[in-house]
Amino acid sequence: MAAESGASQKLESILSDNSIPWARRIWMASLVEMKLLVYLAAPAVMVYMLNYVMSMSTQIFSGHLGNLELAAASLGNTGIQIFAYGLMLGMGSAVETLCGQAYGAHKYEMLGVYLQRSTVLLMATGVPLAAIYALSRPILVLLGESPEIAKAASIFVYGLIPQIFAYAANFPIQKFLQAQSIVAPSAYISAATLVVHLLLSWVVVYKIGLGLLGASLALSLSWWIIVGAQFVYISSSSRCHFTWTGFTWQAFSGLPEFFRLSIASAVMLCLEAWYFQILVLIAGLLDNPELALDSLSVCMTLSGWIFMISVGFNAAASVRVSNELGAGNPKSAAFSVVVVTVMSFIVSVIAAIIILCLRDYISYAFTDGEVVARAVSDLCPLLATTLILNGIQPVLSGVAVGCGWQAFVAYVNVGCYYIIGVPFGSLLGFKFGLGAKGIWGGMIGGTFMQTLILLWVTFRTDWNKEVEEAKKRLNKWEDKKEPLLS
């Protein structure tokens, strides 16, 4: 706790010291900031990648039961489960704003209150989501899926109902820890849980023979293992001694206002998460949907893996900006935005170059088909462009979370993604006959416009004003101490 606070004050003092030549001041500040960002981003990338692998391994285990089971698990994971994941992760981002700013302002006891308040809200949100999961079979049939696939997918989804409530506990805990720059323990816990999950899935699916239901129940149990291990860490670690002081009745106060901030966060993130899912759905309506979906699925898988790096920078940006605003360091907050954006942009450009160099061969990791390989090669310039934009846009979204701009970004997302991107892509794909390239190109246009707007808003921000807004927000949310439950 003291180390991060010391580094933060050191950064602000370097940036404020006019006796140091400008170039040297920027170099010294960059070294301090990059060290802080790598410390945050690297474990965050590992956490998101390991959790991604955990879900994908469940699909692989299910796929070895048969083609129907693979289709059912894929539909359950990417069709229904992604909805709950995006909603819960988005609502949990409210904790990221409030905890990050409270930690920077040294109001440590409020972090535990925000954690509990968010968990209460997310658990309540999980109840209607569980009802949707329970009705997944008729919902999937209504959406046009075959009765056979819908039946199998619903069995898989039933086993994911406990996972909803694991999400409700996990994301607030994750953001609570990230706000304190505690990210490595979550990475270790996720790595250990992945090993347990693989063994558990193998036993449940193949040895006990529980099939699809067993595979999804194993995934739900693995998520609860992550939650339990993280909570044990919070309760026992000296690093959380000041931020976790036990259960309190304050968790049940101010819920309507907290809900509004949580919903704004959820809308912001869900609109982003669903955007490229819509690309796949629209591609299924083309004249040659099989080729379009095969080539797009390869590109989307690659994009998803590399996107995890950007998500790590997103988390780092949110924590750094919220901490600096809460600590009253406007110059450090502004400088952090510049450094994290440049770092993420460089990484994404390198990834895009690698993709372009391997464009003729990259699809063979997924399939042997030459027709698909040519289609993927044809889409790779669009994939490279998407990777570069994804290197900037998620970071700026992280800055928005750190500042508490979720509602504003949600409006920007609606306009750029769904009023411009989707219609423009559909026009190019169908009206002008450009197929998958046209749909994707149009949607890239929406992302590009959103990125430009966020860049313009971010770099015209009055950071002194944001510090004052952070103080007002903390004063509004800070409550008088209440008796503990325990």
Side-chain angles (χ1 to χ4, degrees):
M1 188 177 289
E4 288 91 5
S5 178
S8 177
Q9 292 302 323
K10 180 181 178 182
L11 179 62
E12 187 73 10
S13 65
I14 291 172
L15 292 168
S16 302
D17 190 351
N18 293 323
S19 65
I20 304 174
W22 182 83
R24 179 168 173 75
R25 200 189 325 161
I26 295 300
W27 173 249
M28 291 170 64
S30 297
L31 291 178
V32 174
E33 181 62 31
M34 283 192 287
K35 183 177 179 181
L36 289 167
L37 285 172
V38 170
Y39 176 77
L40 285 167
V45 170
M46 185 180 295
V47 168
Y48 287 111
M49 280 194 164
L50 288 169
N51 292 344
Y52 187 85
V53 170
M54 200 160 70
S55 290
M56 290 305 298
S57 68
T58 299
Q59 274 187 234
I60 292 169
F61 276 111
S62 301
H64 284 288
L65 294 172
N67 291 335
L68 175 64
E69 286 80 0
L70 175 60
S74 299
L75 187 60
N77 254 337
T78 60
I80 293 178
Q81 184 249 8
I82 194 72
F83 174 78
Y85 182 89
L87 185 64
M88 291 293 188
L89 179 59
M91 290 185 71
S93 294
V95 180
E96 205 164 358
T97 301
L98 295 170
C99 281
Q101 294 182 0
Y103 184 78
H106 305 298
K107 296 183 177 182
Y108 300 128
E109 72 282 355
M110 290 308 298
L111 273 75
V113 177
Y114 297 144
L115 164 62
Q116 293 171 65
R117 197 172 285 165
S118 181
T119 303
V120 169
L121 274 178
L122 265 66
M123 286 290 181
T125 305
V127 175
L129 284 176
I132 292 173
Y133 274 42
L135 297 171
S136 58
R137 183 175 179 181
I139 289 172
L140 289 171
V141 171
L142 188 65
L143 292 174
E145 297 295 336
S146 71
E148 188 181 18
I149 292 179
K151 180 182 177 181
S154 66
I155 293 171
F156 182 83
V157 169
Y158 296 154
L160 294 180
I161 290 176
Q163 185 193 48
I164 298 172
F165 299 98
Y167 284 163
N170 175 73
F171 293 130
I173 290 174
Q174 194 178 73
K175 303 303 181 183
F176 168 86
L177 290 170
Q178 284 179 1
Q180 304 169 69
S181 300
I182 303 173
V183 281
S186 293
Y188 299 143
I189 289 168
S190 293
T193 304
L194 176 60
V195 176
V196 173
H197 174 70
L198 293 173
L199 291 171
L200 183 64
S201 297
W202 178 73
V203 170
V204 169
V205 175
Y206 300 129
K207 294 300 177 182
I208 301 178
L210 292 181
L212 277 175
L213 183 63
S216 56
L217 284 172
L219 183 59
S220 293
L221 178 58
S222 297
W223 271 97
W224 273 108
I225 292 171
I226 290 174
V227 170
Q230 288 183 133
F231 184 73
V232 168
Y233 177 84
I234 289 171
S235 303
S236 59
S237 173
S238 59
R239 297 180 71 183
C240 299
H241 178 70
F242 295 104
T243 53
W244 176 259
T245 54
F247 295 103
T248 172
W249 289 111
Q250 283 179 279
F252 298 94
S253 65
L255 289 177
E257 294 85 359
F258 203 92
F259 180 72
R260 281 195 286 272
L261 180 60
S262 297
I263 284 297
S265 301
V267 170
M268 185 194 90
L269 194 139
C270 286
L271 289 173
E272 293 178 4
W274 299 335
Y275 188 47
F276 281 98
Q277 295 295 324
I278 290 174
L279 167 62
V280 177
L281 292 174
I282 296 174
L285 303 175
L286 292 168
D287 292 335
N288 189 357
E290 186 175 341
L291 179 61
L293 289 173
D294 284 346
S295 57
L296 279 174
S297 65
V298 171
C299 292
M300 288 297 104
T301 301
L302 292 169
S303 179
W305 275 95
I306 298 171
F307 187 69
M308 292 300 108
I309 299 172
S310 299
V311 169
F313 279 109
N314 169 293
S318 177
V319 172
R320 290 291 301 122
V321 171
S322 60
N323 282 178
E324 296 297 351
L325 291 177
N329 297 331
K331 291 182 180 179
S332 295
F335 189 74
S336 179
V337 171
V338 174
V339 174
V340 71
T341 304
V342 171
M343 285 179 66
S344 184
F345 176 72
I346 291 171
V347 171
S348 64
V349 168
I350 292 171
I353 291 171
I354 292 171
I355 289 292
L356 288 175
C357 291
L358 299 175
R359 60 185 294 184
D360 294 328
Y361 315 101
I362 206 159
S363 72
Y364 291 110
F366 301 86
T367 178
D368 294 329
E370 290 185 13
V371 176
V372 174
R374 285 195 297 270
V376 169
S377 178
D378 202 31
L379 289 174
C380 271
L382 293 173
L383 174 59
T385 304
T386 300
L387 294 181
I388 292 172
L389 288 174
N390 282 348
I392 303 172
Q393 183 271 334
V395 172
L396 298 177
S397 292
V399 173
V401 170
C403 295
W405 300 340
Q406 288 96 324
F408 166 74
V409 178
Y411 287 121
V412 172
N413 287 352
V414 168
C416 294
Y417 288 166
Y418 298 95
I419 296 177
I420 295 172
V422 173
F424 187 47
S426 299
L427 187 67
L428 291 176
F430 295 98
K431 181 68 174 177
F432 291 93
L434 296 178
K437 288 178 69 176
I439 297 170
W440 197 350
M443 296 178 77
I444 284 175
T447 307
F448 181 69
M449 182 171 290
Q450 187 239 27
T451 303
L452 284 181
I453 291 172
L454 290 184
L455 277 171
W456 181 76
V457 170
T458 301
F459 289 104
R460 289 187 77 255
T461 296
D462 183 343
W463 293 101
N464 289 299
K465 182 180 177 182
E466 289 301 322
V467 167
E468 293 303 315
E469 288 295 321
K471 289 179 181 177
K472 289 179 185 178
R473 187 178 291 112
L474 290 174
N475 290 333
K476 173 185 175 183
W477 288 102
E478 187 172 19
D479 301 311
K480 292 180 181 179
K481 294 290 285 182
E482 296 280 349
L484 298 182
L485 294 177
S486 54

